[in-house]
Amino acid sequence: MSKMEKRVATKENHYAYNKTLRAFARSNRNTATKAEACLWKYVLRAGMMKGYTFRRQRPVMRFIADFMCKELMLVIEVDGFTHHFEETIRKDKKKQHDLEEAGFTVLRFADEEVLHDIENVRCAILFAVESKEQQNNLSSPLPLTPSGRGIAPR
């Protein structure tokens, strides 16, 4: 594929999965930041977000997404202190642009938001999920509880 070709993530290409980054992604999963671990444990794991499956440290294109939901084409990034450096900001903008060009929606949260205001982070993700459902005429895999979380099947 030439540099000028636009890469689109589809079910057929496994949502632009990049198997060459698999080992690096596994390493990242094993050394998650506190904010990533909290977001995973309290918001995204085991279908807690309306029954959708999120993957941690998912290799996609030439990047590793902190969290990704294939069904919704949704990527969630958690930015730590290194994301305040000029070079990292430039790389983040490029990553977000390329992922959006491929068809993903990208949400970004600072570590501090996740660690100190996780309920508002959860609400922002829920809003994005519901917007994606509406946009793509999808329905949640699970019925909702009053808190907006899916009811796990028994």
Side-chain angles (χ1 to χ4, degrees):
M1 175 182 328
S2 77
K3 260 192 153 176
M4 296 306 289
E5 277 185 74
K6 179 180 170 185
R7 176 124 192 231
V8 178
T10 64
K11 188 174 185 175
E12 291 73 30
N13 69 10
H14 305 281
Y15 302 93
Y17 182 77
N18 182 345
K19 64 183 177 184
T20 63
L21 294 176
R22 195 178 350 208
F24 187 52
R26 184 177 298 114
S27 172
N28 285 357
R29 280 193 297 277
N30 293 332
T31 59
T33 67
K34 186 175 181 181
E36 289 170 347
C38 286
L39 187 59
W40 179 248
K41 182 177 181 179
Y42 299 114
V43 179
L44 299 176
R45 79 183 246 296
M48 290 170 64
M49 183 52 65
K50 295 188 73 175
Y52 288 101
T53 300
F54 280 83
R55 288 155 175 79
R56 294 184 302 147
Q57 301 299 324
R58 175 74 175 187
V60 56
M61 298 165 58
R62 64 184 183 285
F63 310 108
I64 296 179
D66 290 340
F67 302 97
M68 184 182 107
C69 177
K70 294 189 306 187
E71 299 87 349
L72 297 170
M73 296 285 292
L74 180 63
V75 168
I76 300 171
E77 292 290 311
V78 180
D79 297 339
F81 74 92
T82 62
H83 293 265
H84 299 292
F85 300 136
E86 192 174 317
E87 179 66 13
T88 308
I89 291 169
R90 187 187 60 74
K91 287 179 180 178
D92 284 346
K93 284 181 181 178
K94 176 71 172 146
K95 178 179 182 178
Q96 183 159 341
H97 174 268
D98 290 354
L99 289 169
E100 288 172 347
E101 283 287 307
F104 291 98
T105 297
V106 179
L107 300 179
R108 298 193 94 81
F109 299 99
D111 277 359
E112 296 79 24
E113 289 177 282
V114 175
L115 294 173
H116 301 294
D117 197 9
I118 199 160
E119 186 55 28
N120 276 329
V121 170
R122 188 192 69 75
C123 288
I125 295 169
L126 179 62
F127 180 79
V129 166
E130 290 174 343
S131 295
K132 294 292 282 185
E133 285 177 336
Q134 228 174 20
Q135 174 186 349
N136 298 320
N137 202 22
L138 299 170
S139 59
S140 174
L142 297 175
L144 289 181
T145 66
S147 70
R149 295 182 178 170
I151 301 170
R154 295 189 185 260

